[in-house]
Structures are given as structure tokens and as C-alpha cells.
Amino acid sequence: MTESSTKRAELIYTIVCDDVRVEIGNKLSLMGVFENVFFAAFPSLLLKVAIVNHWEGAGEFETQVRILHPDGREMAVAAPSRFSIDPNGYADNVTFFTNLGFDRAGPYVVRVTLDGRTVAEKRLFAHLIQQPPTTVN
């Protein structure tokens, strides 16, 4: 068999959260899992975001995560990351972004690529919190 016929990876899940820690036994602890963010005004900033991708398969790969504005413009791009999966194994890939600026409400997109090919897009919804009107007595 050639390497290309045995090389394969499947993205099992993508999770967006505030932070990730590696615990004893190589377990991941995910803090603040979310798919919606709420802001009192725009533009607004998220100080830290973690994207966790869980892969199954076999081979060596390169992945990259991008975050796109609702209109499709790139908002943030992580450096490419290489990983390998032993036959019938798995790999977890964690990407951190800092100081993400959101300029308006809407569905932002987390795009995951594998060897330059888009394999998943997950929406991240930004919402404007409506403040109650202030009254003067």
C-alpha cells in the first residue's frame, strides 16, 4: 500500500471554549464551552478563545484554523499546525486566539482546514445585548 492510500483523518468534533488544560492522564479539561457571545456594544473584544479539534485516522497532517467575519472576510488566522495520528488512533489539536475583535452582530465562522482543504465550518454567533432604557426621576 502507498502512503496516500493509508493516510486519512476525520474531524470528529470542533468545540469553541474559553480555555483548555491538559490534566493527568492526558485528559483535556475545557472551560467555558460556547457557541454564542454577547456584547453590550460593538466593536467588542474577546480576550481569549480556544478551538479544540478532535481527529481520528492515521498519518501525518497539517491543519489550520481561521475565523471569518459574517461577510466572509478573514478576522483571524492561526499558524498552520502539524500533527500525526498512529494507525486507528486519534489526535487533539488546540488552537488559541487572543484579542478577537467583533465589529457587529451576526454569524462568524470557525473554518478548519486539513492539508489546505476545508473540512469543517462551525458558526459562532455574536449578539448585541439590548440594554433597558434608563429613566430619570
Side-chain angles (χ1 to χ4, degrees):
M1 281 190 160
T2 66
E3 180 181 322
S4 62
S5 66
T6 60
K7 177 181 169 178
R8 63 174 180 72
E10 180 183 1
L11 181 61
I12 304 302
Y13 60 77
T14 297
I15 297 175
V16 180
C17 58
D18 291 323
D19 201 6
V20 178
R21 289 192 310 236
V22 179
E23 306 288 352
I24 295 173
N26 209 30
K27 292 185 244 172
L28 297 180
S29 287
L30 310 181
M31 279 61 71
V33 174
F34 63 91
E35 51 190 45
N36 293 281
V37 290
F38 299 89
F39 299 108
F42 288 101
S44 283
L45 196 67
L46 275 181
L47 296 179
K48 185 177 183 183
V49 174
I51 311 294
V52 179
N53 290 310
H54 181 80
W55 304 89
E56 290 181 357
E60 299 210 6
F61 307 93
E62 182 175 275
T63 186
Q64 190 172 37
V65 178
R66 291 177 165 80
I67 300 179
L68 309 176
H69 283 273
D71 65 9
R73 290 179 296 126
E74 285 189 347
M75 177 174 151
V77 180
S81 173
R82 296 208 51 82
F83 68 97
S84 62
I85 306 173
D86 292 333
N88 297 315
Y90 70 91
D92 291 308
N93 184 271
V94 180
T95 304
F96 290 100
F97 291 96
T98 57
N99 300 318
L100 283 179
F102 290 78
D103 60 359
R104 64 178 168 181
Y108 290 73
V109 174
V110 176
R111 179 177 290 162
V112 180
T113 63
L114 182 70
D115 293 336
R117 181 178 47 89
T118 298
V119 293
E121 289 187 342
K122 179 176 181 64
R123 291 196 291 178
L124 174 60
F125 298 93
H127 303 275
L128 179 63
I129 299 171
Q130 297 297 326
Q131 299 295 326
T134 57
T135 57
V136 178
N137 291 334

